[in-house]
Amino acid sequence: MTPLPEPPPPRPNTAFRRLRGQLSPSEFAASVRRAALEIGEQVSCDARYIGRVESGAIRCPNYAYERVFRHMFPGRTLTDLGFASRESVRGHQARGPAGPPVSVPVTVSVSVPGPRPGPSEPQGKGTVDIFEESELLRRSFMTGGAAAAAVAAAPRTGPPP
């Protein structure tokens, strides 16, 4: 088995640092959160995230942050903001910000959440947007665990169901 190549060492994102200007990382993170609210995105940006971007630890933002940064700096690409291309970081094709989702034909042998096959498609085959699907599953997992922990920690009243 061939070992995976080592990722390149982080290279500071000086372009993003210049865009921050005189704002502290905390102040800039607050402006990122405000911009996210303006476009209906939900990001939990803090000074630590800004520091990770500027240090080069985050080479390419996720899609939500990408939309927020494009809103904050209209007309600029991810490369203009100092980020690496999505293909070089994630190993799959990038999707344009306004383009349709990339659909990949999938043969499903287990129950997979996603679009149901239409009447003309054979049962068990359909298209699933892999990128959105994985993001949805990740969010469901993250919020489901927190909800389960909250229920488990809540004091019980009355007889058990």
Side-chain angles (χ1 to χ4, degrees):
M1 185 178 203
T2 308
L4 292 174
E6 291 278 327
R11 207 176 77 223
N13 186 337
T14 55
F16 199 82
R17 172 60 189 96
R18 279 191 305 273
L19 290 170
R20 179 164 61 92
Q22 296 299 312
L23 296 176
S24 73
S26 294
E27 292 168 333
F28 190 71
S31 68
V32 169
R33 290 190 306 270
R34 276 192 302 276
L37 287 175
E38 289 173 8
I39 61 170
E41 280 296 339
Q42 186 175 2
V43 295
S44 56
C45 188
D46 57 8
R48 183 172 178 264
Y49 180 86
I50 299 302
R52 291 179 65 220
V53 168
E54 291 178 357
S55 73
I58 296 177
R59 297 186 309 151
C60 186
N62 69 25
Y63 290 111
Y65 277 104
E66 178 183 352
R67 287 186 287 269
V68 173
F69 294 149
R70 286 179 184 268
H71 173 69
M72 291 176 72
F73 308 106
R76 298 202 177 156
T77 64
L78 284 179
T79 356
D80 295 338
L81 299 175
F83 292 107
S85 70
R86 197 167 297 284
E87 300 90 14
S88 69
V89 175
R90 302 236 164 70
H92 54 69
Q93 270 193 344
R95 182 173 72 192
V102 177
S103 294
V104 179
V106 177
T107 302
V108 180
S109 58
V110 294
S111 175
V112 175
R116 302 242 187 249
S120 63
E121 294 182 70
Q123 191 65 6
K125 291 194 180 231
T127 58
V128 177
D129 182 355
I130 300 296
F131 310 117
E132 293 297 325
E133 187 73 23
S134 64
E135 181 67 12
L136 174 66
L137 293 173
R138 183 188 69 78
R139 285 183 183 168
S140 298
F141 173 77
M142 296 301 284
T143 57
V151 168
R156 297 186 189 263
T157 58

